[in-house]
Amino acid sequence: MTRIDEGWGRGPSARYEEIAARFRPIFDRIGEAAIERDQQRRLPFEEVRWLREAGFGALRIPAVYGGLEVTLPELFALLIELAAADPNITNIFRSHLGFTEDLLNAPNNSWQDEWLTRLGRGEMIGSGFSELAGLKVGDHSTTIVPDGDFYRLNGEKFYTTGSIYADWINLAAVDGSGSPVAALVPTSVSGVEILDDWDGFGQAMSGSGTARFRNVKLEGVHIKPDSARFPYTPAFFQLVHLASLAGIGRAAAKELARHVGSRARIYPRGNGATSAEDPQVLEVVGRVRGPAYAAGAIVLNVAQALQRSFEANIAGVDPDQTDTHLLADIETSQAVTVISTLILEATTVLFDALGASAAKRATALDRHWRNARTITSHNPRIYHDRVVGEFAVSGKKPAAVGYRKIITPFGPSSEVA
């Protein structure tokens, strides 16, 4: 009797199984066509719609707005399961989930109320931060300038992950004086063009290509009150990638076990009547499954650190008087190289159990390594290792990312004033 789906550990809370049960049938449907989508490069518009209709985009939204109020560990456990079905779709929701954290950490005001309401009813956010023209990440040539009672947006973004599937693009720009400004840009208005031109060998359906903005008219309600972000911003976005890697490892382990279990052909120097009885082949299965398990456990442990950062911020703890946010960042960086190495190795060594037939396009086993290698190329590991080393040796803090100190605490169960 196969035990492929067991042994991954319990969820992060007593209620997790109840939460996950709502989405697992959708995850299963998504996973059934993952190989076909990869081989045909079919964008998962329908699959994203399934998740939106089930409330996946409102996981962290307070119940008063129609959300599920999940904790960060619960969220990341779900992301691992989704990534095991298709890591492209986990990445598609990455910016949307990050904007949700912006809202949850924002002052309690009409702007927050407006956007929590929108997300609670199923609207979706894509990414519009990165540009290829800048000298470094975070440079912006995209502009938003006043135009009478309105604003005009012009520029071009790349790595606009999820935007082709979204209703809005969470966008960073500069104003006429070069000061940072941020906006929510409707994807359906005149002057917005979103291209499916991401040509990476992995994460091919994540919609991470170009978005162009030509004289786009924005209203005041589209402009964010400030461009600051939540205090665990770098850790959160990196941990989504690590959850994707953990899910990739889990999918690779499951598929390898199934292939070994059904494989009839054996090698002359083998040690069993079938591959399923060969102890050396079984050892390879274990060498893939173990790293996948470890990666998931690490992600959920780091998610606890992010939860502590979130709780400190909404409680109004002065960020200058706590190391909670710093430690969330450090714990994430400590996990980056470890998880990356575990999953890249696992998605390579799995081929040793199956021989040349594992390289056939029909199996699509190579997609696991391609997706993992693409994800691990974001935010290079070498910098995370250096940050951790500097912190350990001298206590040096990583470079700061602008964020707001919350003014009016807004907890997941609070009523809106």
Side-chain angles (χ1 to χ4, degrees):
M1 180 182 68
T2 180
R3 307 295 291 269
I4 288 174
D5 293 318
E6 300 179 50
W8 298 110
R10 291 184 178 180
S13 68
R15 66 173 186 168
Y16 179 73
E17 288 300 313
E18 179 182 351
I19 296 169
R22 177 171 179 166
F23 299 102
R24 281 175 178 158
I26 302 174
F27 295 165
D28 289 342
R29 291 172 68 193
I30 289 171
E32 287 170 0
I35 290 175
E36 175 260 324
R37 283 193 301 276
D38 180 77
Q39 291 174 335
Q40 298 182 15
R41 202 179 184 281
R42 176 175 67 79
L43 299 184
F45 287 102
E46 185 176 20
E47 290 80 358
V48 170
R49 179 178 57 79
W50 297 342
L51 289 168
R52 291 178 63 173
E53 290 176 350
F56 194 82
L59 284 171
R60 291 270 290 151
I61 300 297
V64 68
Y65 293 100
L68 296 181
E69 292 192 29
V70 305
T71 65
L72 284 165
E74 290 166 346
L75 171 67
F76 281 99
L78 287 169
L79 292 181
I80 292 171
E81 293 198 38
L82 174 58
D86 189 337
N88 287 277
I89 299 178
T90 305
N91 207 23
I92 286 168
F93 277 93
R94 183 170 175 254
S95 186
H96 175 92
L97 296 170
F99 179 67
T100 300
E101 297 304 310
D102 275 337
L103 292 177
L104 296 176
N105 286 275
N108 185 352
N109 56 31
S110 60
W111 185 87
Q112 182 206 47
D113 182 48
E114 167 75 14
W115 288 98
L116 285 172
T117 299
R118 288 181 176 278
L119 268 58
R121 68 188 183 210
E123 296 187 27
M124 185 173 174
I125 312 296
S127 178
F129 284 84
S130 297
E131 299 183 13
L132 294 179
L135 295 176
K136 63 181 181 180
V137 174
D139 284 349
H140 302 296
S141 61
T142 300
T143 59
I144 297 176
V145 297
D147 182 13
D149 294 332
F150 301 95
Y151 296 84
R152 291 291 173 181
L153 164 65
N154 284 280
E156 182 172 301
K157 298 287 185 177
F158 197 64
Y159 302 121
T160 58
T161 304
S163 291
I164 200 169
Y165 306 93
D167 305 298
W168 302 87
I169 299 176
N170 188 16
L171 182 140
V174 292
D175 62 16
S177 65
S179 298
V181 60
L184 277 299
V185 180
T187 57
S188 59
V189 298
S190 175
V192 176
E193 181 184 19
I194 303 173
L195 306 178
D196 178 31
D197 61 348
W198 165 245
D199 63 351
F201 57 68
Q203 296 295 103
M205 286 79 70
S206 60
S208 298
T210 301
R212 294 174 180 153
F213 309 96
R214 296 186 177 90
N215 207 30
V216 178
K217 180 181 177 181
L218 299 179
E219 299 179 18
V221 70
H222 297 142
I223 307 301
K224 296 173 74 172
D226 64 70
S227 60
R229 307 212 70 180
F230 52 100
Y232 49 97
T233 292
F236 180 89
F237 283 102
Q238 189 61 53
L239 195 59
V240 175
H241 282 326
L242 298 185
S244 293
L245 289 172
I248 289 169
R250 191 175 294 188
K254 289 182 177 183
E255 289 181 28
L256 174 60
R258 282 194 285 267
H259 281 294
V260 167
S262 63
R263 182 175 169 83
R265 192 167 182 233
I266 60 173
Y267 285 93
R269 294 182 180 178
N271 300 291
T274 65
S275 287
E277 298 171 309
D278 189 321
Q280 287 186 278
V281 171
L282 295 174
E283 179 185 359
V284 176
V285 175
R287 287 174 59 196
V288 174
R289 190 176 172 92
Y293 171 80
I298 294 169
V299 167
L300 295 186
N301 193 65
V302 177
Q304 295 283 358
L306 269 63
Q307 181 71 23
R308 291 190 289 272
S309 179
F310 166 69
E311 291 173 356
N313 200 47
I314 64 168
V317 176
D318 188 336
D320 295 329
Q321 302 300 315
T322 180
D323 283 336
T324 304
H325 311 311
L326 166 65
L327 293 176
D329 204 356
I330 293 297
E331 287 195 42
T332 305
S333 287
Q334 287 175 167
V336 169
T337 293
V338 175
I339 291 177
S340 298
T341 301
L342 285 172
I343 302 307
L344 287 172
E345 172 66 15
T347 54
T348 298
V349 76
L350 67 85
F351 292 93
D352 292 338
L354 298 173
S357 60
K360 295 175 64 178
R361 290 187 182 275
T363 68
L365 288 171
D366 63 303
R367 80 186 191 282
H368 299 307
W369 182 88
R370 288 187 285 105
N371 286 327
R373 180 66 271 184
T374 300
I375 290 170
T376 56
S377 297
H378 295 296
N379 306 309
R381 289 175 282 167
I382 55 174
Y383 301 128
H384 288 279
D385 288 337
R386 190 204 73 237
V387 162
V388 170
E390 290 174 338
F391 172 78
V393 172
S394 65
K396 183 178 178 180
K397 297 181 180 181
V401 173
Y403 61 85
R404 64 173 65 83
K405 175 184 176 183
I406 195 159
I407 299 171
T408 304
F410 181 83
S413 299
S414 299
E415 293 294 333
V416 178

